[in-house]
Structure formats: structure tokens, C-alpha cells
Amino acid sequence: MGAHFKPNGAESAILNALTGDAAWQANVRTMFEAHGLPTRRDEDWKWSDVRKASRDIFGNGELLLRATTRPRWARLEAEVGENFALNALAHAGAGRTALFDVHTRQTLDIDFSAGKGVSFASVLVNIKPKSNVTVVERYQTASQAMAMVAVEYTIGRGAALERLILIDENPDAIILTTSGVTLAEGAKLHQTAFTFGGKLFRQQTNLRHGGHDAYASLNAVYLLDEGRHADFTSSATLSEPDGRLEQTAKGAVAKGGHGVFQGKILVNRDAQKTDARMNHRGLLLEEGAEIDAKPELEIYADDVACAHGNAIGAIDELALFYMRQRGLPEDKARSLLIESLLAEPLEAIRHEKARGVFLDLLTKKLERMS
């Protein structure tokens, strides 16, 4: 263990869970002993200090996984780097990986429920070629829970996946999720994540884009009130020609809440004819609300159409004025303006029942906040 690293309760629980004797698991433990949980000193985590947030979490807990299809279970090896790697830590802590092979026109529901203490889960979903699949992931936590979850996807040639992620987190809990998504030629991914945040929530997506008419959309929505933190971080690597990527994140934050968006698109030299676009919009609803954003483009190909945008500000007072002139109370007018911004990515959900659930949750949350 590093000379300057003294584990807190959550870190001690993680070390207790890292008991695997495979070489890669030993490497994960060595990595964690050297670094511990991420802090503000880690560039990729500078707005999400996990070590600080976890100081009141102790002991090992249980993370229950329920799904509409029975998985196979296997022990898989995870790639271990020199720095903190959430995916490797989740795989090593879980010990076993739930494997799902999904094909034809199928809907798969996966529910994660974390009890008090530190817990882990590892999932691999394989979408067969030319399939059309919807996967709905739901995350729930008890008070003083810390869940670390790795969900890996491989999307076969010509397949289409709609991935919907709903996080219903306890205000005293931490959820850290990471997803590696591999997109084959001609495959399509439509991903939408929605959260009201928690003590600290982070959804990290690492997309490996196959190009050759493959398409991906990465959408995220966050609505945070006091004491809630949500962090959407992503990286997308395009290495083949004719790939398309659209990324939209929208959020609104009240006093005492903290929203984070970090998105990076890397277009390698062979990824000619790439069309990649990223946009983040955040609303600061009150004094004391906080949003940090860092959109990045790194382009090495010369025949591409790429752009990114980021806008953070307050509610449009002129629009609010006009709505009040039409007889709407201020609270109702504000809620409608917020809803009009946040509902757009949710209205693009293709699964009709899930779209209705997501939109209804948004409306009810805004009513409680108004």
C-alpha cells in the first residue's frame, strides 16, 4: 500500500472483497492498494470525489441482480491498467460475471438492488447479429450503500440495441457504473440514461465504434435537487470510416446539487467520413447550484464532420415572463420550461412503455421540486 494512502471504511471493504487468486485479480488489488478510490486530484474524477463521498460507508454489502432471462455465470478476466479502473474493480469484486446472449426481437430487463455497504456486480450482454433488442437497466440502493457495477455490451453486425438506464438512488448512497460498448459494422446503439442523482452517481460509457455505417446515440438526462450529485462521463473511439455518433446530455440543478458532464470523442486517422456531434445543456435553477462540463474532440482524420457544444445558464426570464402573462403561476411556468428542455431526449425513447415511465417520473419530480 502506498505510503500516503490510509484506507477509509469503504476502501477497507473493497480490499476485503478482492480475494481472487488469479493473476489479473492480484493486479487489481495491487492497483487499488496503490491508489484507493478516486479523489479530486485524479483528472478524470476531479468533480466527483468518491473517496470523500464514501467516508460514511462501512462493511461489505450485497448486490442482487434480477433479470427476465436467466443468465449463465462465468469467471472472466478484466483488463487492468496502472490507474484506477472501475470496470476491473467491479469484475474482481463480483468474482463472477452474469452472461446474457440476446437475439431476435427481445426485451431484457435487468434490475440491480444494492444493500447497505460496498457491493459489486459484473454483467456481459452479447447482442447477436441482425437482432433488434431493448435492454432496460434499473438501479436501486439502500441508505449507505456503495454499488460498483460493470456492464459490458457487444453489438453484432447489423444488430440494433436500445439501452435504457434508470437510476433510482438513495440520497445517502453511491452508485458507480461503467460500460464498455463494442459496436460492429452496421450496428446501431440508442442509449438513454436518466437520474435524479444520489450522494454520488457516476455513469461512465466507453464506446468502441465499428464505423462502416454503424450508428450510436448517447443521451443522458439529470435533474438534481439539494445534496444530489450526478456525473455522466463518456469516451467514444472511432477507428473505421463512415461512422455516425450523436451525443446529447441535458440537465437541471437546484441549490446544493452538482451535475457533471465529461464527453470525449476520438476520431482516428482511418475514420474518414465520420459524422460525430456532441451537445450538453445545463440549467442552473438557483444560486448555489453547480454544473461542470468538459466536452472534447480529438480528430486525426481530415474528411470528417464533427462538432461539440456546451451551454450552461439560468432559465430564460423572457420566456418565463410571457408564460406568466398568459396566466400561469410562476412555479408552474418554471416547471414547464424545465420539462421542455429535459423531456426532449426522453421523448426519443423508442420503447413506448419505458418512454411513458421516464416522462412520468420527470413530471412528478418537477412537481415535488416546485
Side-chain angles (χ1 to χ4, degrees), residues 7-12 14 32 36-39 49-59 118 144-146 172-174 176 199-200:
N8 64 19
E11 289 166 326
S12 295
I14 291 170
F32 191 74
L37 289 169
T39 71
D49 192 328
V50 182
R51 190 163 199 262
K52 181 179 179 181
S54 67
R55 60 190 175 189
D56 296 325
I57 296 175
F58 300 92
V118 177
Q144 294 185 309
M146 180 174 180
D172 296 321
I174 297 172
L176 307 176
K199 187 174 186 179
L200 193 152

Side-chain angles (χ1 to χ4, degrees), residues 75-121:
R75 299 185 184 276
L76 302 181
E77 182 174 339
E79 185 176 339
V80 184
E82 294 181 358
N83 299 317
F84 179 84
L86 176 58
N87 62 329
L89 193 58
H91 283 302
R96 297 190 306 163
T97 298
L99 306 177
F100 295 93
D101 292 313
V102 192
H103 53 83
T104 62
R105 300 184 64 86
Q106 186 175 348
T107 298
L108 172 65
D109 292 337
I110 308 176
D111 293 339
F112 301 89
S113 181
K116 182 179 179 180
V118 177
S119 58
F120 307 86

Side-chain angles (χ1 to χ4, degrees), residues 60-168:
N60 294 97
E62 184 178 14
L63 201 160
L64 299 178
L65 186 154
R66 298 183 178 89
T68 50
T69 299
R70 186 187 295 259
R72 296 180 292 113
W73 293 90
R75 299 185 184 276
L76 302 181
E77 182 174 339
E79 185 176 339
V80 184
E82 294 181 358
N83 299 317
F84 179 84
L86 176 58
N87 62 329
L89 193 58
H91 283 302
R96 297 190 306 163
T97 298
L99 306 177
F100 295 93
D101 292 313
V102 192
H103 53 83
T104 62
R105 300 184 64 86
Q106 186 175 348
T107 298
L108 172 65
D109 292 337
I110 308 176
D111 293 339
F112 301 89
S113 181
K116 182 179 179 180
V118 177
S119 58
F120 307 86
S122 171
V123 174
L124 174 60
V125 183
N126 180 29
I127 311 298
K128 298 294 187 180
K130 298 184 179 180
S131 298
N132 192 340
V133 173
T134 299
V135 178
V136 182
E137 301 173 26
R138 300 181 185 88
Y139 295 82
Q140 293 182 312
T141 53
S143 178
Q144 294 185 309
M146 180 174 180
M148 309 180 77
V149 182
V151 184
E152 305 288 322
Y153 283 89
T154 60
I155 307 175
R157 181 175 295 186
L161 167 66
E162 180 166 41
R163 182 192 182 196
L164 305 174
I165 306 163
L166 179 61
I167 301 93
D168 182 13

